[in-house]
Amino acid sequence: MALAPPPPLALLGDSPHEGESDPLGFSELARELSRLILGSRGATPFTLGIEASWGMGKSTLMGRLRERIEAEPAVKAVWFNAWTADGNGVLEGLLKTVLNEMDPSVLRRALRNAKLMGWLRVLVSIVAGWLRITSVVDEAWKRVAVDPRGRNELRGLVEQAITDWRDKQTGVPEDALLCVFVDDLDRCTPEGVIEVFEAMKLYMNVEGFVFVVGYDRDIVADLVNQSKGYSDSIRSQDYLEKIIQTTFRIPRSSREQSKALLQESLDASGTSALFGDAEQTLVVDRNAHNPRRIKRFLNGFVLSYGLDAQWREFRPDTLIRVHLLYMHFKPFSDLLERPGIDPVSEFLQYAAARDALRRRGDLAPVREALETLKVTMPPNADHDSLLALLEEEVRVPFNKLVAQDGFTTLIESLARADDWPRLRAQLAQGRESALADDPGRFDGLSVLWVDDNPENNEQYVSELTAAGAYVIASPDIDHVRMVLEHGPVDVLISDIARGGRRDAGFEDLKGLVADGLAPRTLLFFTARVTPGNQAAAGALGAEVYSSPTELFKRLAGAPRGAQPAAA
C-alpha cells in the first residue's frame, strides 16, 4: 500500500499566547483586573494572586494585564520570572530587578538622602559618583548580604526610592503605582518561594507597590509546607493568606473557547485536515481544556504522524484516540503493546459486566467477562458478591479507569474503528528487549524461575543470562525445593496458575516461607495483575508483575550475593 506523503507539519511553542488573537477571552479578564488594580491605588501596598494549575494561561493573562497596566500614566510595570532566578538568589534577584527599573536619578537621590543610616551614605560617597547605577545596586546588596543589620536600611532605600519616583510623576503623586509581576512562582524550590515572599513583605511592603503573582495554590502551599516544616496544609494556607490578600482564579475555558484555541494550534501545526469536529471535541475534553496540554498533545501527534510512515496507513481519528491513550492513560497503553492479550475487548467486557451488576440487570455479560478471566461463576451468587469477585479478578488499571469520565466512551469508539485490529497488531509487534541498552546490569544476580511452561519465558531467560545473571529454570515446586535445599538464590520468580491449580504459585510459596527456604526477593510473573493476586502476593511478602519491562526494572534493584547450587 503506497503511503501518502505527510502534510507539512510544525511543532508548537510553549510560550504565552500573544498577539491580537484572544481565543480564551483573556483581554476582557485583563481589562477588569486592571480596573481593580487602578481603582485600589489608595490601598497599596497589596498583592493580587493569579491562581490556576499549570498550563491554564497564568503567564498569558499576566502578560495582557501588564500591557494594560503600563499603558496607564504614572504606572510602571516590572516583570520578574522567579523560576529563572531560582538557585541564584531569588530575594536578591527580585530586589535588584525592581531597583534597576527605577529612574537612575531617583535612586541616586534616595541613596544620598540624609535620613538613611551611615553605611549606605559612606557607600554612596565611594561608588555612586563613578559606577553605573546597576553597579551601585550590586554593591549595596553585597553589603547587605554580609551585614544583616543593613537590611532595614535597604528597606528604607526602597521606600525612599519609590517615594521620590512617585513625586516625580505628573498629576497626583498618590496615583503613581509600581506594579511588580512575579511569574512561575510554583516552579521554584521551597526556599525560592519563601525568598520571594520575604522580599515582598520585608523590603517592598511600602506604599505605591502592587504585586501580581502567578502560581498554582496547591503546589505553592506544599512548597511552603516543605520550607516551614508545617505538618498540615491548613497552616500553609494561612501563611499564603497573610502574603497574598486578594486572589483571582482563572476560570476553566468553555468548550467553544478551547476549540478556538485548538483550531489556531491545528492551523499552526498543519494538522487541521486531520481533525474533524468529533476529534477536536475529544482532544479538548480529554486534555481538560488545558492550553498547554492541548499543545503537548498536538506536538506528540505531529512527531508520531510526521516521522512514522506506518502511522499514515491508518485513519487519523483512530490514531488520535490511540495517542490520547499514550498521553494520558499509560497503564492502559502499555497493555496495547503486549502480544497475546486484547485489553480493549477485556475492558469493554468488564465495563459491561460491571454496569449490569450495578443495575441489578441480566447476568449474561457477567458470565462472559468471568469466562474471559478464566474464573468460574459461583452458583447462586448475588449481584453484590459477583461485583466484588469481578473487581478482584479484573486487571488493576481497569477498576480505576472505568470510573474516569469519558474513558469507556473512548475505548468503545476505538473498538468500532474498522482499522483498529490492524493498528492493534502493529502496536504489539517489534517491542524492544526489556533490557534496553544496559547489558551488564544483572551481573552477580541469581534467579530461580518456576513455570510449568518454561518455553513462555525463554526469551527473558536468555536476555537475563546474556546480561550477566545466573538463571535456573524450574518446571515445578519439587525441583524448586531441590535447588533451594542445596543453596540460596537472590530472586524467585514464579507463575501463579500451574498444573490445573489456580493458586499454585501462592500455595507453593507459602510452603517455602514456612520452611525457611524462600529467597529475599519474591516475584510473580503473570498475564494479568489484579487486586486479588496483588493482595495474595503481598500477604507473602511478594510482588506481582505482568510487564517484562517492569519486571526487569525490579530485578535490576534486587539485592544479590547468594551463591546458588548448580542446576
Side-chain angles (χ1 to χ4, degrees):
M1 174 181 179
L3 300 180
L9 304 178
L11 295 174
L12 303 169
D14 192 37
S15 58
H17 196 89
E18 300 175 343
E20 295 184 2
S21 172
D22 184 26
L24 301 183
F26 280 174
S27 291
E28 179 60 30
L29 293 177
R31 180 163 42 249
E32 294 303 317
L33 288 172
S34 67
R35 287 177 184 170
L36 170 68
I37 292 173
L38 296 172
S40 305
R41 299 172 196 254
T44 62
F46 66 86
T47 301
L48 169 66
I50 305 294
E51 293 185 3
S53 57
W54 280 356
M56 290 298 290
K58 296 186 294 294
S59 298
T60 298
L61 176 57
M62 290 169 63
R64 291 183 182 271
L65 177 58
R66 177 188 182 183
E67 291 175 0
R68 287 197 164 273
I69 285 288
E70 62 186 1
E72 296 290 327
V75 176
K76 189 174 187 63
V78 178
W79 191 275
F80 178 72
N81 190 298
W83 184 37
T84 57
D86 200 9
N88 298 311
V90 178
L91 189 153
E92 175 186 359
L94 179 53
L95 281 169
K96 289 166 68 173
T97 297
V98 172
L99 289 174
N100 286 331
E101 287 290 330
M102 290 286 193
D103 184 328
S105 63
V106 167
L107 189 55
R108 284 195 177 96
R109 189 184 315 77
L111 281 166
R112 293 190 176 98
N113 191 300
K115 295 179 181 179
L116 295 178
M117 296 176 67
W119 74 273
L120 270 177
R121 299 191 70 238
V122 171
L123 168 67
V124 172
S125 67
I126 297 173
V127 301
W130 53 274
L131 288 181
R132 293 179 296 108
I133 197 66
T134 300
S135 300
V136 173
V137 173
D138 289 344
E139 189 66 27
W141 179 258
K142 289 178 185 178
R143 300 297 180 93
V144 171
V146 298
D147 183 4
R149 293 173 301 173
R151 295 199 172 194
N152 288 332
E153 295 186 39
L154 185 59
R155 185 183 188 280
L157 169 64
V158 173
E159 186 170 7
Q160 186 63 53
I162 192 171
T163 298
D164 291 347
W165 173 76
R166 296 178 80 191
D167 287 343
K168 284 188 62 176
Q169 305 308 305
T170 57
V172 183
E174 289 76 13
D175 286 346
L177 289 177
L178 185 64
C179 192
V180 182
F181 291 83
V182 180
D183 195 19
D184 282 339
L185 182 65
D186 46 21
R187 297 185 183 218
C188 289
T189 61
E191 295 73 23
V193 169
I194 298 302
E195 285 190 13
V196 168
F197 290 154
E198 182 181 348
M200 291 163 53
K201 296 301 289 184
L202 296 185
Y203 298 104
M204 288 181 279
N205 190 35
V206 298
E207 191 174 343
F209 270 101
V210 174
F211 286 91
V212 180
V213 184
Y215 66 105
D216 182 314
R217 185 180 185 88
D218 291 337
I219 292 176
V220 170
D222 184 60
L223 293 171
V224 170
N225 268 346
Q226 295 177 45
S227 180
K228 294 290 188 180
Y230 294 154
S231 58
D232 57 69
S233 61
I234 295 177
R235 295 179 67 187
S236 62
Q237 299 286 356
D238 291 340
Y239 177 87
L240 285 178
E241 289 175 3
K242 293 177 182 178
I243 303 293
I244 301 174
Q245 295 80 37
T246 305
T247 60
F248 172 75
R249 183 159 188 85
I250 297 178
R252 171 171 159 155
S253 59
S254 68
R255 179 173 289 174
E256 290 72 23
Q257 289 174 324
S258 295
K259 289 183 77 170
L261 173 70
L262 173 61
Q263 187 58 60
E264 284 191 6
S265 300
L266 293 174
D267 292 340
S269 64
T271 56
S272 290
L274 304 177
F275 288 73
D277 185 69
E279 287 71 46
Q280 291 186 32
T281 299
L282 187 63
V283 169
V284 165
D285 290 348
R286 290 316 312 167
N287 286 287
H289 296 235
N290 184 300
R292 179 173 291 141
R293 288 177 60 180
I294 289 173
K295 289 182 179 180
R296 287 186 68 246
F297 175 85
L298 287 181
N299 281 340
F301 182 83
V302 163
L303 286 171
S304 298
Y305 191 81
L307 299 180
D308 189 344
Q310 289 183 318
W311 267 53
R312 298 194 294 278
E313 296 178 358
F314 304 98
R315 290 171 38 178
D317 57 336
T318 305
L319 298 176
I320 290 166
R321 286 167 170 80
V322 170
H323 194 58
L324 282 168
L325 293 175
Y326 274 87
M327 286 286 291
H328 302 305
F329 304 101
K330 188 177 185 302
F332 192 91
S333 64
D334 285 346
L335 297 175
L336 297 178
E337 298 185 353
R338 296 263 306 279
I341 66 172
D342 185 354
V344 168
S345 295
E346 275 190 36
F347 177 83
L348 292 179
Q349 278 188 337
Y350 158 65
R354 178 179 180 270
D355 183 62
L357 290 169
R358 288 162 64 92
R359 291 186 295 101
R360 298 297 197 267
D362 181 56
L363 295 181
V366 182
R367 191 172 292 106
E368 181 181 356
L370 291 178
E371 286 177 1
T372 298
L373 298 173
K374 296 182 171 56
V375 176
T376 303
M377 186 167 176
N380 304 319
D382 60 21
H383 287 77
D384 291 336
S385 61
L386 284 173
L387 181 59
L389 175 63
L390 181 68
E391 299 287 11
E392 186 176 273
E393 296 295 338
V394 77
R395 291 185 191 275
V396 164
F398 291 3
N399 48 10
K400 294 181 180 179
L401 293 172
V402 74
Q404 294 197 25
D405 184 40
F407 183 79
T408 300
T409 302
L410 173 62
I411 299 302
E412 287 174 341
S413 62
L414 188 61
R416 288 194 297 268
D418 54 13
D419 57 348
W420 166 242
R422 288 192 301 112
L423 179 55
R424 167 72 185 90
Q426 180 172 304
L427 292 174
Q429 290 177 358
R431 294 210 61 193
E432 296 181 359
S433 164
L435 294 176
D437 298 321
D438 192 0
R441 62 175 170 164
F442 297 102
D443 286 339
L445 183 71
S446 57
V447 178
L448 179 57
W449 197 320
V450 55
D451 193 317
D452 57 349
N453 294 298
E455 64 275 6
N456 293 341
N457 309 310
E458 287 179 353
Q459 174 188 348
Y460 310 131
V461 170
S462 296
E463 290 180 345
L464 281 172
T465 302
Y470 178 71
V471 185
I472 302 172
S474 291
D476 54 50
I477 189 59
D478 292 332
H479 186 261
V480 169
R481 282 185 169 275
M482 180 188 72
V483 172
L484 293 176
E485 286 170 355
H486 283 77
V489 296
D490 296 318
V491 180
L492 173 66
I493 303 176
S494 175
D495 53 1
I496 295 179
R498 190 187 317 133
R501 296 158 55 212
R502 188 166 179 270
D503 296 323
F506 298 137
E507 296 166 359
D508 292 345
L509 179 55
K510 186 176 182 180
L512 294 177
V513 171
D515 295 340
L517 293 174
R520 285 181 293 177
T521 303
L522 305 170
L523 309 174
F524 287 97
F525 187 54
T526 183
R528 182 182 296 108
V529 179
T530 70
N533 60 35
Q534 281 185 325
L540 296 167
E543 304 164 35
V544 187
Y545 293 89
S546 63
S547 163
T549 301
E550 295 302 316
L551 175 70
F552 278 38
K553 285 181 182 178
R554 178 65 180 85
L555 288 175
R560 60 198 71 184
Q563 300 298 319

